[in-house]
Amino acid sequence: MSASIPELLSSIATLSHADKFRLVQLVLAQLAQEDGIETAQTQQSALPFDPRQFFGVTHQPKQVVDDYLATTREGWL
């Protein structure tokens, strides 16, 4: 017996934002698989984001920031 939509929504409401995003990713991946659509697996960046790297970013050359963002965006599309 499957759960009804209102029951699912009440359960989803208690999830954190990160868990909600993960749930959406899983549901979309399942729908794509059911429709036979190939999806690219997202790459995890080798290094976790370190906000200290951008402390005082106004003193960093724009190219340094652009290069970092470009390398972390790979696999998003």
Side-chain angles (χ1 to χ4, degrees):
M1 178 179 211
S2 62
S4 68
I5 300 266
E7 290 172 336
L8 290 173
L9 289 176
S10 65
S11 296
I12 292 169
T14 62
L15 296 174
S16 69
H17 286 330
D19 286 340
K20 287 176 185 175
F21 279 117
R22 183 70 182 130
L23 176 62
V24 169
Q25 288 176 328
L26 292 171
V27 169
L28 289 175
Q30 182 179 2
L31 287 172
Q33 182 182 15
E34 289 173 1
D35 287 344
I37 300 171
E38 289 187 32
T39 58
Q41 296 294 323
T42 58
Q43 296 175 342
Q44 295 294 326
S45 72
L47 299 173
F49 177 72
D50 180 12
R52 291 174 288 192
Q53 178 180 357
F54 294 104
F55 178 76
V57 74
T58 57
H59 301 291
Q60 296 273 344
K62 182 180 181 306
Q63 190 62 43
V64 172
V65 176
D66 288 343
D67 290 344
Y68 175 80
L69 292 175
T71 59
T72 58
R73 286 187 190 143
E74 290 177 8
W76 283 13
L77 300 176

